[in-house]
Amino acid sequence: MNILVTGSNGQLGSALRKEASNFSNDHFMFTDITELDITSEAEVKRFFSANKPDCVINCAAYTAVDQAESEQANANLLNATAVRHLAEASTKIGALIIQISTDYVFDGKNCRPYKESDPTNPKTSYGKSKLNGELEVIFNAGRSVIVRTSWLYSEYGHNFVKAIMNKAIKGETLKVVADQAGTPTYATDLAKALLTMIPQVPSKIRGKIYNYSNEGICSWYDFAKAVTEFMGRDHEVIPIMSHELKNPAARPHYSVLDKTSIKKDFGLCIPHWRQSLQQCIQHLLEV
């Protein structure tokens, strides 16, 4: 298969690039804005006409959650309008599109893991733009899958795990929120899952939504404590409440995702978040 990965310089895109070597029967095209500006409809049409991908994994996204509150137009341009360009171009050539979405499409008021069928109710501009992207796929893509994930981290780019590690190494005070519960997602695990799914996706599927994160549940405080533990450092982590941070965008207080459907439909065995975190930190410490 010809597989196009957009936003390939980001965390998930970088993980897919690394995992692609294990799928030698497929041909991968890794693009970011310099190779393919997905906000340009004309450029997307030209690229699809010339390269004819069989599958598109859209990892490109505006992910600055707080900044999106004052840059709603930019967030919607990349998270929704650009998605429509990809969905329409995919439909024209009969390609499968896999859109990566987020737990922020929910309001975080649940007290049990979110199912794919639960009502969406985003409370942030970022969440609204990602939900708009889902709708663009549902209404404009002929063959499509949406995968919602949460708390993504990896060895690549900027993320929570690397920020905690850097602060711990510098001996800085760590204050981390303890009243938000969810599940971390190791980008490598998600990348493996996506590439395993592709050949199994039914030929007639449209707007099917799946949840994917690692197994287990924790708070950001628990997450940070585990990071310092796996670093082998006895570094104090101070729990605080969300309101103390005064972030422009509200974070979901509960965003655990129910993975029953994706495990059943694709036979996936999902690692526990602590197991994957330890693996990631080992890789980072070896660099």
Side-chain angles (χ1 to χ4, degrees):
M1 295 179 69
N2 287 326
I3 300 174
L4 167 63
V5 178
T6 59
S8 65
N9 291 339
Q11 292 194 81
L12 182 55
S14 296
L16 283 163
R17 191 190 298 270
K18 183 179 179 181
E19 290 303 315
S21 60
N22 297 319
F23 294 79
S24 56
N25 290 334
D26 298 310
H27 173 254
F28 289 86
M29 296 171 280
F30 292 98
T31 67
D32 215 285
I33 190 168
T34 54
E35 295 85 19
L36 173 61
D37 180 2
I38 63 173
T39 66
S40 168
E41 184 177 11
E43 194 168 331
V44 169
K45 285 181 177 179
R46 283 195 298 269
F47 186 95
F48 275 62
S49 177
N51 296 280
K52 294 181 171 52
D54 300 302
C55 175
V56 181
I57 307 176
N58 182 31
C59 302
Y62 183 108
T63 58
V65 175
D66 289 323
Q67 203 168 324
E69 294 301 311
S70 58
E71 294 188 358
Q72 295 177 21
N74 289 339
N76 268 297
L77 176 63
L78 190 52
N79 291 345
T81 304
V83 177
R84 181 172 71 246
H85 299 160
L86 292 172
E88 291 176 344
S90 296
T91 301
K92 190 171 182 180
I93 62 172
L96 166 68
I97 180 169
I98 300 178
Q99 170 66 12
I100 307 302
S101 194
T102 173
D103 57 320
Y104 275 75
V105 299
F106 299 115
D107 58 21
K109 295 181 179 180
N110 257 21
C111 56
R112 57 151 179 81
Y114 278 97
K115 297 179 182 294
E116 292 87 348
S117 57
D118 283 332
T120 54
N121 187 28
K123 294 300 184 182
T124 65
S125 295
Y126 165 70
K128 291 172 184 175
S129 70
K130 290 297 287 183
L131 180 57
N132 288 339
E134 291 188 7
L135 295 173
E136 293 290 357
V137 167
I138 290 169
F139 290 118
N140 295 297
R143 186 169 179 242
S144 59
V145 170
I146 295 163
V147 179
R148 292 172 178 156
T149 192
S150 62
W151 298 22
L152 192 70
Y153 71 93
S154 67
E155 296 90 341
Y156 315 104
H158 302 285
N159 57 67
F160 179 82
V161 170
K162 292 175 75 173
I164 293 296
M165 290 182 69
N166 288 335
K167 287 186 176 183
I169 289 170
K170 294 176 182 177
E172 296 180 12
T173 301
L174 291 173
K175 294 183 178 181
V176 184
V177 293
D179 60 343
Q180 296 172 21
T183 309
T185 305
Y186 184 29
T188 294
D189 291 337
L190 177 53
K192 290 177 180 177
L194 292 171
L195 295 176
T196 299
M197 287 169 60
I198 289 172
Q200 300 183 61
V201 173
S203 58
K204 293 183 178 180
I205 190 169
R206 183 170 185 173
K208 178 70 172 178
I209 301 173
Y210 289 104
N211 293 332
Y212 185 97
S213 64
N214 282 109
E215 297 285 19
I217 178 175
C218 65
S219 68
W220 288 103
Y221 169 77
D222 298 325
F223 194 11
K225 287 283 289 182
V227 171
T228 59
E229 174 191 340
F230 294 141
M231 290 176 69
R233 287 178 174 266
D234 184 19
H235 193 94
E236 183 183 15
V237 182
I238 302 169
I240 61 173
M241 297 294 102
S242 298
H243 67 83
E244 297 180 59
L245 292 179
K246 296 181 172 60
N247 289 319
R251 268 58 174 176
H253 279 279
Y254 185 93
S255 61
V256 180
L257 301 174
D258 185 315
K259 280 88 66 177
T260 302
S261 291
I262 201 167
K263 289 189 288 187
K264 178 184 175 183
D265 288 0
F266 299 102
L268 298 179
C269 183
I270 303 177
H272 191 274
W273 69 267
R274 283 179 59 88
Q275 175 187 339
S276 294
L277 175 62
Q278 187 170 21
Q279 180 182 339
C280 178
I281 289 176
Q282 286 176 345
H283 292 162
L284 286 168
L285 292 176
E286 290 169 359
V287 175

